[in-house]
Amino acid sequence: MNEKCVNYGPLTGLIGTWFGNAGKDVAPEPDGIENNNYYETMTFSEASEVTNAEQEVLSAVHYIQKVQRHGDDKVIHHESGYWMWNQQTNDVMHSLVIPRGICVLAAGKVDISGTTVFDVKADDTEKEQQLIQSPFMHEKAKLISYVQQMRLYPDKLCYQQTMVVDIYGKVVEHTDSNSLQRQ
């Protein structure tokens, strides 16, 4: 397919490199909660348009996210995946891989009536939106649900996400948020 003809719809505004320096990570620890301030780079690139079973047309952008803690520059999170937009239904999907043995397929809607807002979720009770994790993670740090909202402005991208995790003998929320600028 000629890539110049791909309709990326609301994903178009994501394409490019974004940097944010004011990230907030609230993560579970054995003796409580750890707060990390972080900076990150997210790069979105055109992937393609695909047709599934000759019916569903999806446009996809690929991304890589690298998150580093202020102070020691340690990489505290790295993920890659795809944002996909269904041209017929205006649904979006977010597939991601975190190199801890976690894969997520979250789904939801995109609202383009003003600021573009992507809302997706997945939890361990859903059949369509899936959480897949290694045996170790399932036993020691089981991901129960994933919720993310991204707000896209012309040169700003803001997100909030919450992962509910069963870890250290309790169910806790691990949250991340940041505001990034187009580079």
Side-chain angles (χ1 to χ4, degrees):
M1 161 165 270
N2 183 349
E3 291 299 316
K4 292 181 181 177
C5 297
V6 174
N7 176 7
Y8 287 100
L11 302 176
T12 302
L14 293 173
I15 297 168
T17 300
W18 301 82
F19 178 79
N21 200 30
K24 303 288 183 200
D25 170 59
V26 180
E29 286 292 321
D31 57 351
I33 298 293
E34 176 181 40
N35 291 286
N36 289 296
N37 295 323
Y38 64 86
Y39 62 96
E40 70 183 295
T41 302
M42 293 179 77
T43 303
F44 294 86
S45 57
E46 298 173 356
S48 67
E49 178 181 275
V50 297
T51 302
N52 290 330
E54 302 297 323
Q55 296 177 355
E56 179 184 56
V57 180
L58 299 176
S59 300
V61 295
H62 177 258
Y63 75 95
I64 296 174
Q65 177 186 27
K66 183 178 179 184
V67 178
Q68 294 174 266
R69 183 173 29 229
H70 282 291
D72 63 7
D73 297 320
K74 180 180 178 186
V75 175
I76 59 173
H77 185 82
H78 193 281
E79 85 181 40
S80 64
Y82 292 90
W83 277 90
M84 295 156 281
W85 171 62
N86 183 317
Q87 296 179 16
Q88 290 92 3
T89 65
N90 207 38
D91 293 334
V92 289
M93 291 183 285
H94 180 197
S95 65
L96 62 103
V97 177
I98 303 168
R100 293 178 180 267
I102 296 173
C103 302
V104 175
L105 178 61
K109 294 288 185 184
V110 59
D111 180 354
I112 56 172
S113 61
T115 300
T116 303
V117 180
F118 302 89
D119 279 306
V120 294
K121 65 180 180 172
D123 67 56
D124 64 353
T125 64
E126 292 289 328
K127 291 183 181 181
E128 287 80 28
Q129 293 80 44
Q130 295 287 311
L131 304 172
I132 301 169
Q133 46 210 316
S134 70
F136 179 88
M137 294 300 285
H138 192 270
E139 180 183 336
K140 302 288 186 180
K142 182 180 180 185
L143 179 59
I144 296 171
S145 69
Y146 175 90
V147 176
Q148 182 181 41
Q149 181 182 81
M150 284 196 324
R151 293 182 168 280
L152 177 62
Y153 304 89
D155 289 316
K156 184 166 82 169
L157 177 64
C158 302
Y159 72 86
Q160 290 184 287
Q161 67 185 38
T162 300
M163 293 184 278
V164 176
V165 182
D166 185 349
I167 188 170
Y168 310 127
K170 55 192 171 200
V171 175
V172 295
E173 291 185 350
H174 176 176
T175 62
D176 295 294
S177 61
N178 204 353
S179 179
L180 298 89
Q181 298 295 314
R182 186 182 299 278
Q183 299 296 289

